[in-house]
Amino acid sequence: MPKRDSVLTILGINVRKRREALDYSQDKLSEKSGLDQTYISGIECGKRNPGIKNVAKLAKALGLSTAELCKGVDV
């Protein structure tokens, strides 16, 4: 089994923690961000590598700046 990319894992954790803090389901975040629920699930699991536009959409939907959402993500 391939090792998951730590950058994607950290981003996914950040998304999930903020979503849960806001008491949003993945469906609600999907509605607010305009992104598919399965795509959000993939991000949260560290399986998807979202482009910067989608990271910005998620950040806005979660009430964060893109920098705040990416906190701890280092290459």
Side-chain angles (χ1 to χ4, degrees), residues 12-73:
I13 289 168
N14 291 349
V15 170
R16 184 177 58 251
K17 282 184 179 178
R18 179 63 176 178
R19 176 180 62 76
E20 289 175 349
L22 293 171
D23 199 29
Y24 286 1
S25 65
Q26 287 181 348
D27 284 331
K28 183 167 184 175
L29 181 55
S30 172
E31 291 172 19
K32 291 191 154 288
S33 66
L35 301 172
D36 190 83
Q37 180 273 326
T38 57
Y39 183 71
I40 292 170
S41 175
I43 292 169
E44 289 187 3
C45 292
K47 295 178 182 176
R48 292 291 216 149
N49 185 7
I52 191 66
K53 288 183 179 181
N54 288 338
V55 173
K57 286 178 183 180
L58 284 170
K60 183 175 181 180
L62 293 167
L64 299 172
S65 69
T66 303
E68 290 171 319
L69 186 59
C70 293
K71 186 175 182 173
V73 175

